[in-house]
């Protein structure tokens, strides 16, 4: 379910991220980046405002460390009447002196296109 690794939707250093009791980056911070990045292709498909309705899966594969450069890839894999399912992959670049690139998490979320009143809105036709 990895989205194609074209351009990351966001790229952010984990330098100032909150840490957990084990000294790694707090998972909630990673989830927040996932939600932000996942909304980007959804907004493009919806051509307007979306809200997150569900996190269908969230898999933390490896810890994120302070100092990692975090890239988040996301693609819409299914468009319904008003909803979009988005697959997200989180990758880090670590150790600039001895570089490695690791997949640290993946997720599947559902976004809904909404109107100005926050009610579901049909997706526009995709040309
Ligand atoms: C998202 C929201 C507008 C949907 O309203 P609703 O009255 O439940 O809408 P519907 O039942 O018509 O469902 C709308 C679409 O969402 C899908 N959906 C609803 N709940 C879902 C869930 N738990 N998982 C997956 N899809 C879901 C429906 O299948 C439907 O898809 P479709 O139109 O493509 O067939 C409403 O639940 C809401 O405002 N939730 C809060 C959103 C929010 O604050 N998110 C966090 C911050 S962004």
């Amino acid at each position: 379910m990895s989205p194609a690794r074209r351009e990351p939707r966001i790229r952010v250093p984990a330098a100032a991220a909150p840490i957990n009791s084990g000294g790694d980056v707090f998972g909630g911070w990673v989830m927040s980046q996932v939600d932000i990045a996942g909304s980007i292709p959804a907004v493009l498909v919806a051509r307007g405002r979306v809200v997150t309705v569900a996190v269908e899966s969230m898999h933390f594969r490896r810890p994120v460390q302070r100092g990692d450069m975090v890239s988040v890839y996301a693609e819409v894999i299914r468009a319904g009447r008003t909803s979009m399912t988005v697959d997200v992959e989180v990758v880090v670049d670590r150790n600039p002196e001895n570089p490695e690139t690791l997949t640290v998490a993946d997720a599947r979320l559902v976004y809904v296109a909404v109107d100005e009143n926050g009610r579901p809105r049909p997706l526009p036709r995709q040309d």
Side-chain angles (χ1 to χ4, degrees):
M1 77 176 203
S2 295
R5 284 201 199 167
R6 293 183 204 115
E7 287 294 313
R9 300 294 180 172
I10 60 172
R11 198 162 153 76
V12 56
I19 54 171
N20 61 28
S21 53
D24 296 311
V25 168
F26 173 53
W29 182 85
V30 177
M31 291 178 79
S32 168
Q33 308 310 312
V34 164
D35 191 25
I36 293 165
S39 73
I40 293 171
V43 164
L44 292 173
V45 168
R47 294 192 212 126
R49 191 178 154 210
V50 303
V51 291
T52 314
V53 71
V55 180
E56 292 198 333
S57 68
M58 178 80 221
H59 186 169
F60 295 99
R61 297 183 179 280
R62 294 186 183 86
V64 176
Q65 298 173 359
R66 277 231 176 128
D68 286 350
M69 176 58 76
V70 178
S71 299
V72 191
Y73 298 81
E75 297 293 339
V76 173
I77 58 147
R78 180 189 162 275
R81 197 181 81 84
T82 67
S83 69
M84 293 148 286
T85 302
V86 176
D87 274 0
V88 180
E89 185 174 18
V90 185
V91 173
V92 300
D93 291 302
R94 182 172 292 168
N95 296 338
E97 316 81 46
N98 188 13
E100 51 181 346
T101 300
L102 301 167
T103 297
V104 293
D106 53 63
R108 178 167 290 176
L109 297 89
V110 181
Y111 297 85
V112 175
V114 292
D115 63 19
E116 61 278 10
N117 300 312
R119 297 305 306 153
R121 158 177 73 81
L123 295 174
R125 254 190 45 200
Q126 306 297 309
D127 299 318

